[in-house]
Amino acid sequence: MSGEMSMIGSVILALFLAGYLGQQYLPPPKPKVIGLDLGTTFCSVGVFHPGIGDVEVIGDDKGRKSIPSVVSFTLTEVLAGHEAQELADISQQNTIYDAKRFIGKIFEPDALMQESARYPFRVINNNSRAEFLITTNHTFSVSPEFIGSRLLLKMKKMAEKQLGVPIQKAVISVPAEFDEGQRSYTIKAANLAGLEILRVINEPTAAAMAYGLHKVDVSNVLVVDLGGGTLDVSLLSKQGGMFLTRAMAGNNKLGGQDFSQRLLQYTMEQVREQFGVEATLKEDIHHLRQTVEEAKLNLTLQPSASIRVPLRLQVPGAARGSVPKPVVFRSVITREVFEDLNQDLFQKILAPIKTVLAEGHLEKEEVDEIVLVGGSTRIPRIRSLITDYFGKEPNTSVDPDLAVVTGVAIQAGIMGGSWPLQVSAIEIPNRHLRKTNFS
Ligand SMILES: *[C@@H]1O[C@H](CO)[C@@H](O)[C@H](O)[C@H]1NC(C)=O
Ligand SMILES: *[C@@H]1O[C@H](CO)[C@@H](O)[C@H](O)[C@H]1NC(C)=O
Ligand SMILES: *[C@@H]1O[C@H](CO)[C@@H](O)[C@H](O)[C@H]1NC(C)=O
Ligand SMILES: CC(=O)N[C@H]1CO[C@H](CO)[C@@H](O)[C@@H]1O
């Protein structure tokens, strides 16, 4: 009897041990919560892998880790991301971008008219909220949150494809300045895409988390986010292990597009000097713009960029309607030229930095870490400007285009319970803060 008992006991023990040991060889659980960065110009999705303890930013079928925040309507379908971007030139009126600027916002009628004048598509007023007017076979209007939902749906599908499991839950980031309305309409966009939002976190906090600053002993973190069209500066302080936004400032008319525009004006002037006429054909200007954009990116890594653009110029004195003359424009642009052309614009970055320090009652020496976000912070002159001002190097090891999504994915990992960390909250909401805007 006692022999049987001990045998049963041994079997149970053996099963228990096998289960315990086996568990270590099981594949780690799949992430169930995704992290979403729904940006004004680009968006990305990431997950935290508990097994390897690392963030994966998910690529599309071509491996691209950011998709343009563009949605285009055709007769038969609604496209999002790169497919929509490709239609931006041929179907301008039905291709919507920058929807984030409108989401959840109440507009004065005049302000909405001014905004819509900046876009090739039609923005209409519906009870002080913006909607976009689309005309395919029939005319209809769509809301900014609907546009957001199509981008989020695209990213949800990318994640499902990569992970091989259905996804229903997410964490999403928003600008620190978003009010309750903008936050709730962002959540609405996610709900429309079939996603439940477990938490909304501020973009600067996410960027700080991408550098692990929630785990280390720092007090004050300055986040500089310089994107295609806007500059956002936030001063964060850690209190009891959580981030509090102390001050924010920015310039909503300063970004990479402005630096490219200066370079474009310069090359157009060179064309005029070399050939005695201006480039006027739409496709020539488009081609010049693309090349200049590429040169700008190359100048981050190289001291100079050679450009070569075939153009067709309308020779002066030639008869009206005569065939334009094909020429090839060549030039070498050095980094110095690029920096000189943008000297005054680069300097504008310091104003909001000084403002957040003043409003947050901090000396620049009291800033422990500086985090750079947004593609334009790759520009060497901008990095050195910030380094010189603070007398210390900013944190740049994370790709500035992916810093926000990386932090959101870490937060998603925490929410999914797959994070060996005690904290659950990362942020203290600060509802009374106002953003100072220069521009
Ligand atoms: C205006 O907004 C309301 C509420 O969101 C919506 O039901 C209605 O269809 C919109 N009107 C137009 C003309 O789009
Ligand atoms: C669009 O309109 C055309 C002409 O009125 C019609 O032949 C076509 O079937 C319509 N397409 C769709 C997708 O509704
Ligand atoms: C940028 O760099 C790439 C790779 O080195 C090169 O192929 C391309 O021609 C360059 N373009 C410009 C405009 O400098
Ligand atoms: C300049 C630099 O890289 N600074 C810091 C970046 O963030 C980490 C924390 O994760 C610090 O250890 C670095 O010193």
Side-chain angles (χ1 to χ4, degrees):
M1 196 56 181
S2 76
E4 267 176 42
M5 281 301 278
S6 73
M7 211 180 85
I8 292 171
S10 314
V11 169
I12 291 173
L13 187 66
L15 283 174
F16 184 77
L17 270 174
Y20 177 76
L21 291 173
Q23 204 181 13
Q24 303 194 14
Y25 298 101
L26 284 174
K30 296 273 189 181
K32 294 188 200 73
V33 186
I34 53 175
L36 296 162
D37 169 13
L38 180 63
T40 308
T41 42
F42 282 98
C43 36
S44 299
V45 53
V47 289
F48 182 79
H49 286 290
I52 48 172
D54 210 355
V55 166
E56 178 192 7
V57 179
I58 293 169
D60 67 358
D61 45 10
K62 294 206 172 92
R64 297 171 291 204
K65 295 191 169 178
S66 299
I67 64 168
S69 304
V70 181
V71 170
S72 189
F73 295 78
T74 72
L75 251 184
T76 52
E77 49 184 351
V78 184
L79 301 168
H82 290 96
E83 292 84 18
Q85 174 82 71
E86 274 161 29
L87 299 180
D89 280 334
I90 49 174
S91 178
Q92 289 197 353
Q93 298 220 347
N94 292 333
T95 303
I96 313 296
Y97 56 88
D98 267 5
K100 189 177 176 178
R101 288 188 193 268
F102 299 95
I103 199 164
K105 257 175 122 170
I106 306 280
F107 287 89
E108 299 287 330
D110 286 352
L112 206 51
M113 294 257 280
Q114 270 175 20
E115 283 287 337
S116 86
R118 296 170 53 193
Y119 296 102
F121 45 82
R122 286 195 57 200
V123 186
I124 57 166
N125 175 356
N126 180 4
N127 280 324
S128 302
R129 294 191 187 277
E131 285 193 5
F132 309 109
L133 205 62
I134 308 296
T135 303
T136 53
N137 254 19
H138 60 295
T139 297
F140 54 99
S141 71
V142 295
S143 60
E145 57 275 16
F146 180 78
I147 301 295
S149 79
R150 300 308 295 207
L151 293 162
L152 295 171
L153 183 65
K154 168 110 186 171
M155 292 194 284
K156 175 179 186 269
K157 287 184 180 159
M158 278 160 59
E160 286 175 338
K161 189 167 175 211
Q162 174 71 8
L163 301 169
V165 291
I167 298 287
Q168 273 119 28
K169 296 189 168 119
V171 172
I172 195 164
S173 57
V174 294
E177 68 190 275
F178 261 27
D179 63 18
E180 287 307 319
Q182 290 166 299
R183 281 165 204 259
S184 76
Y185 274 81
T186 303
I187 294 174
K188 210 165 157 182
N191 296 157
L192 284 172
L195 287 166
E196 179 193 345
I197 294 297
L198 303 183
R199 179 163 289 167
V200 177
I201 75 168
N202 289 342
E203 287 162 8
T205 304
M209 286 178 76
Y211 283 98
L213 298 180
H214 54 301
K215 294 187 294 186
V216 299
D217 186 24
V218 294
S219 301
N220 305 310
V221 180
L222 184 95
V223 182
V224 179
D225 183 346
L226 184 61
T230 52
L231 167 67
D232 287 296
V233 181
S234 310
L235 181 62
L236 310 178
S237 285
K238 240 164 80 179
Q239 292 182 3
M242 292 198 277
F243 285 105
L244 172 77
T245 308
R246 265 176 101 124
M248 48 192 179
N251 186 332
N252 60 15
K253 296 205 172 63
L254 183 66
Q257 290 153 9
D258 302 297
F259 313 145
S260 302
Q261 187 61 28
R262 288 275 173 94
L263 207 47
L264 180 64
Q265 282 164 359
Y266 172 79
T267 47
M268 300 267 284
E269 180 61 23
Q270 280 195 317
V271 167
R272 208 176 58 82
E273 278 171 17
Q274 272 187 33
F275 303 105
V277 267
E278 279 179 44
T280 47
L281 291 177
K282 241 184 179 174
E283 49 270 45
D284 280 353
I285 293 169
H286 179 70
H287 201 170
L288 276 169
R289 190 187 296 280
Q290 277 184 323
T291 310
V292 152
E293 182 66 28
E294 203 183 300
K296 180 186 81 172
L297 299 182
N298 283 4
L299 286 173
T300 288
L301 299 168
Q302 300 159 8
S304 68
S306 302
I307 62 175
R308 181 188 172 282
V309 188
L311 301 172
R312 288 173 307 141
L313 299 177
Q314 204 77 54
V315 186
R320 260 183 83 84
S322 66
V323 184
K325 183 174 162 230
V327 298
V328 176
F329 169 66
R330 283 173 218 268
S331 176
V332 174
I333 297 169
T334 63
R335 195 184 279 172
E336 283 74 42
V337 165
F338 175 65
E339 289 173 356
D340 285 348
L341 289 170
N342 286 295
Q343 175 67 13
D344 57 319
L345 294 181
F346 291 170
Q347 284 297 330
K348 285 189 179 180
I349 287 160
L350 291 178
I353 292 179
K354 289 174 182 165
T355 300
V356 296
L357 291 174
E359 288 180 357
H361 307 290
L362 276 193
E363 299 297 326
K364 59 183 179 182
E365 293 75 20
E366 292 174 278
V367 172
D368 301 307
E369 297 292 349
I370 305 146
V371 169
L372 301 186
V373 185
S376 301
T377 60
R378 289 200 187 88
I379 295 172
R381 185 75 195 101
I382 289 176
R383 287 198 174 177
S384 68
L385 209 72
I386 294 170
T387 306
D388 292 348
Y389 181 73
F390 285 98
K392 76 166 113 191
E393 294 285 330
N395 240 319
T396 54
S397 57
V398 179
D399 180 338
D401 285 319
L402 303 179
V404 171
V405 71
T406 301
V408 187
I410 293 170
Q411 177 75 61
I414 294 173
M415 299 307 289
S418 55
W419 182 254
L421 200 78
Q422 297 76 18
V423 297
S424 59
I426 283 294
E427 203 165 49
I428 308 170
N430 191 349
R431 302 272 179 260
H432 308 292
L433 212 55
R434 301 221 128 258
K435 180 179 166 189
T436 311
N437 193 20
F438 294 83
S439 73

